[in-house]
Amino acid sequence: MTSLHDRHIKPLILAGLNGDNWRLKDYESRGGYQQLRRIINDKVAPDAIIAELKASSLRGRGGAGFPTGLKWSFMPRQFPGDKYLVCNSDEGEPGTFKDRDIMRYNPHALIEGMIIGAYTMGIGTGYNYIHGEIWETYARFEEALEEARAAGYLGNKILGSDFNFQLHASPGWGAYICGEETALLESLEGKKGQPRFKPPFVVISISNCMHLLVGVHTSAVKKLLYWSRLKVRKVSHALSHLSQQALVCMASQRRLTTQKHLLLCHSSWPLVGKRI
C-alpha cells in the first residue's frame, strides 16, 4: 500500500482520499462528474470519445492489455436488442486490493466512468459484479449509487438529456472462477458460475443481447478523458504497479496459507461436513 502514499508513485485516482471523503459532495468538490456534464451539455459525439480513448493509449489491466478505445468501438450502437455494460469487480485472488480500494475510497469515479462508457456505446443498463466477500465495500457502492440517482446522474433523462442509464450492483458468492468473464455472466444470470465452452470475445452476444465487460481500474480512469494523454499513461502505469504489488502480496500469503484454508475461504461450495 506504500504506493498510495507518495513513497513510490504519485497517486492520482486515490489522491487525497482517506476513506471518509468518498461521498458525492466530496467527489464533486474534486471535480467529479464534470466530464460527464461536459459530454452531455456539449453533446460530444460517441466517435469523438472513442477517438480520444484510442489516442490516450488507455489499456485494460486484466492481463491482455486490450486497448480500451478499440474495445468500445466493437459495440454496435445501432444493435436492435438490449445491450449491457458489466463491470468485473470479482477480485478474488488472495492479497489483491486495487479494485476493492477504488470502490472503497472513490466509488463515484467508477460510476462516472461506467456512465460515460454507456453513453458512448448506447447502452441502457449496467451491472457491477462485486466479489461476495467484501460486503462493506458492496454496501458503500450501493450508497454511492443511491447518491448518484438522487443527483440525476443515473436513471432516466440524465442531467436533462435524452440519455437513460440504469446501473445496479450485484454481489458474487466468493467463487474464484467467477472472475472469468463468461462464468461471471452465468452467475449474473442466476446460473452456476462456470465458464462457457465458447471462448470469450470482447463483445459477447447472448440470447439476442450484447454484453461488454470492463474492469474497475480502467473504468475509473475514464473520468480522465479530457486530461492530457501523458496523465492517462501515468495512471495506467500506476495501476500496473498496484497489480504487481498485489501479486507479491498474493505469493506471500500463499506461502503462509495451507491449501485447505484457501479452499475454505475462496470456494462457494457447501463444504460444511465434507472432507477436503
Side-chain angles (χ1 to χ4, degrees), residues 46-67:
D47 288 343
I49 298 175
I50 290 175
E52 187 69 24
L53 281 173
K54 288 180 177 179
S56 74
S57 300
L58 179 64
R59 292 175 177 266
R61 289 294 168 186
F66 201 89

